[in-house]
Amino acid sequence: MDTSGFPDWRRIGHRIGKGLKDVLDPQPTNPGPSPEERKAQRTRDSFKGLVYFDNFAEVEAWSESDIDPIQQANQPLLFRHSSQVHDDIGSKTKLTLCHDYKGGYHDYESVRPDPLSTELYSCKYLQFVDTFIYFSHKLVCIPPPSWSNVLHRNGSKVLGTFLIEPQTDDVERLLLKRDGKYLLARRLAEMATGYGFDGWLLNIEKDAPKDYPRWSQELTAFIHELRVNLGEDKAVIWYDALTVEGDVYYQNGLTPSNILYAMAADGIFTNYKWTDKHLAATKASATAAGMPTSKIFFGIDVWAQNTNMPGPLRVTYPAEGGGGTNTGLETQTGGYLPCLGSQDPLPNLLPLSARDWAEAHKGPITRMLYAELGMGSFPSLTVFTKLAGCYEEAEEHGAAVCLRLFKLNMPADGSLEAKMELEVKETSAGTDCGIYLTYMDTSSQSLIKECCTLPRGQHFGNAAVRIPIHHSGGRLVELGVFSDGDPGVSTTLSLMELSRIVIKQRGPVPKNFKIQNIRVCIRTRHTIQQTRIIWDWVKDPCWGQTWPELMPWSRTTGPFKSFTVHIGGQAVDEAHSLEMPVKQEDLQHLEETTDGVEIQVEGHLFGGDSIRSPAVTVPKADFDHRSRDRP
């Protein structure tokens, strides 16, 4: 919007350029899959727990009764205290990460993925991520429950994406009303609640219909109604593309052309080509409108510059060296923050960045710890130690090095305990390791560290390691792993594998629940069938205890965070709903002559304890069925 009385020549040039490009350089039309093929693929993906919608008709026809239990995230969003994040870059800084990985909806994101032969993208620095957006080139993108569960366990919100692209048909149906209300505003809110995620990114990359003069006013009202329908605990973020003038014209900041949409939403995600001037102008616009700057997220393109590729340049901030992993984040904070990729480290588990780790032998003599996530259906955290440089010159001979796993702010009055399932590896004779707790004395504000050395070569499984959390007049602020002594060698040594860490109220979590009614059934959708094991959980009617106030509770699985399904005495996989799809390999270990199949379900409570159902035997024939198509 221009107030000087002169035409906005940049906008005029932009429109002319878009028109000339369509005439002089028409892009070939790729029809893609047919509607029938798309429908079949959507159905196959739905049996994997993956949900998306390709057109407005599918969204309008959807209802909550269409939700399949395996498509729902069961993990509630855990509260994240502001002191637990952003230590080095200030508590006011927020990070929103927009996932855009090879089109999305991959098999490894499904509820029962096949074993991976190579590492694929996973966000390994969730302690820095306030909000995670699942993005794919669909009209409506529902985050897979595998992502939502992981993000919620780490206190990160997860948003789906509503995306209108130039090829999207019937865009005016976005503002369709029924009974005086926007139909899609109701549908999108119901989807967020039903599938268990936290809101939406709205990205409209197509000009408004020419015959819709009140488009911007109606769209603003739509955004507001969507926010109201979602409720206070969910969010809507507007993407900087469509302007109130009705054309797609990236502002790269907050301007009069997008501020109405941004203020109707909970925030704005700007385009990537901003500069220092855009920052200053955005701050001025926000201040004048009374909009908190904390609601403005400046986009950074992590896919690097395309200065050597066909098409318009994508020059991001800063102009030199911007894009890729060398983005403006590093320039502004002076620190290291990894971006998308399969080899990203875990900053909260690294005293040094990956760069420093590789160059450590050239610098001061340092012993350090690092951690990486395991692979497979039951990942563990493996902790290593390494001697870098010439140890004889070290000034910290014999001193313990510590790897912080969690920042905390919890009472240390003896009411809590830490429970860990782990295995201490056989390391060199001169190296000990264990768990440390750091307390802050509330009167002196001093830190007190207590270490618990664990015997080498011992596996702490169901018995687990239990450490009371008690320090008179203090609070627990850190938990981590330490290594003490001389590793004796310069190679990397494996110290410990952790499979579970729980801090909970002392004493057993109430276990007056039962898992029952285990059965095998066939789910059918269109021409596709899927065999599933299904079960129920109930509370003992005689149980008089109440669930601990601060313990999570799932909207779909109650006190259980997950379930392990055993077939024929063998654990086959973990489920986060009351149903688990059955794969052919789940039965391969059974003898061919077996007529009955023994099934047992073990439920894992949020407090760390487990409950096993009685074993039931079902006819093996219940697992056999024929279908015309299978996911």
Side-chain angles (χ1 to χ4, degrees), residues 202-428:
L202 301 182
N203 184 5
I204 300 180
E205 302 263 3
K206 184 175 184 176
D207 292 350
K210 301 300 182 184
D211 56 349
Y212 211 124
R214 290 182 50 81
W215 177 267
S216 61
Q217 296 93 324
E218 291 276 0
L219 183 56
T220 303
F222 169 88
I223 298 169
H224 175 75
E225 191 169 304
L226 175 58
R227 280 187 64 195
V228 171
N229 291 345
L230 286 168
E232 294 184 357
D233 60 334
K234 292 181 170 56
V236 177
I237 295 180
W238 175 259
Y239 185 73
D240 167 29
L242 184 70
T243 66
V244 294
E245 291 82 10
D247 57 351
V248 175
Y249 188 38
Y250 305 104
Q251 302 296 293
N252 302 295
L254 188 70
T255 74
S257 289
N258 59 27
I259 195 168
L260 289 179
Y261 298 148
M263 293 187 68
D266 294 286
I268 184 171
F269 190 142
T270 77
N271 193 49
Y272 309 107
K273 295 184 181 180
W274 47 272
T275 66
D276 291 336
K277 291 182 179 180
H278 290 94
L279 289 174
T282 292
K283 184 176 181 180
S285 296
T287 301
M291 180 178 179
T293 56
S294 60
K295 293 186 176 183
I296 304 169
F297 297 88
F298 281 88
I300 295 175
D301 183 4
V302 300
W303 292 112
Q305 316 284 30
N306 68 347
T307 54
N308 60 346
M309 298 174 64
L313 300 180
R314 295 179 68 186
V315 180
T316 59
Y317 183 87
E320 288 191 20
T325 55
N326 182 26
T327 64
L329 279 180
E330 183 170 12
T331 301
Q332 290 185 46
T333 65
Y336 173 77
L337 182 62
C339 295
L340 299 181
S342 61
Q343 297 299 324
D344 297 332
L346 293 156
N348 67 325
L349 304 179
L350 276 169
L352 301 176
S353 73
R355 232 172 4 211
D356 295 329
W357 174 265
E359 301 292 323
H361 65 282
K362 300 179 181 178
I365 311 306
T366 309
R367 280 184 300 133
M368 64 196 86
L369 300 173
Y370 75 98
E372 62 184 22
L373 290 176
M375 302 295 289
S377 300
F378 302 93
S380 61
L381 186 69
T382 305
V383 182
F384 301 84
T385 185
K386 181 178 182 180
L387 177 66
C390 180
Y391 189 74
E392 285 74 14
E393 300 177 14
E395 297 178 356
E396 297 182 323
H397 182 83
V401 287
C402 297
L403 171 64
R404 182 179 70 196
L405 299 181
F406 299 101
K407 283 190 62 189
L408 304 163
N409 183 15
M410 306 182 78
D413 56 5
S415 62
L416 303 177
E417 69 175 356
K419 177 183 174 183
M420 285 151 276
E421 295 181 14
L422 53 89
E423 180 179 357
V424 183
K425 297 295 186 179
E426 286 282 4
T427 58
S428 61

Side-chain angles (χ1 to χ4, degrees), residues 22-73:
D22 293 339
V23 174
L24 300 176
D25 185 25
Q27 298 298 309
T29 301
N30 180 9
S34 68
E36 293 74 19
E37 291 170 331
R38 288 180 181 273
K39 182 177 180 180
Q41 185 60 53
R42 277 188 64 226
T43 303
R44 287 191 291 270
D45 286 340
S46 72
F47 275 115
K48 299 178 180 179
L50 307 177
V51 182
Y52 52 84
F53 301 87
D54 291 316
N55 55 60
F56 283 96
E58 293 171 350
V59 179
E60 293 165 5
W62 178 89
S63 70
E64 292 176 285
S65 62
D66 295 329
I67 298 176
D68 186 327
I70 69 170
Q71 299 165 352
Q72 296 177 287

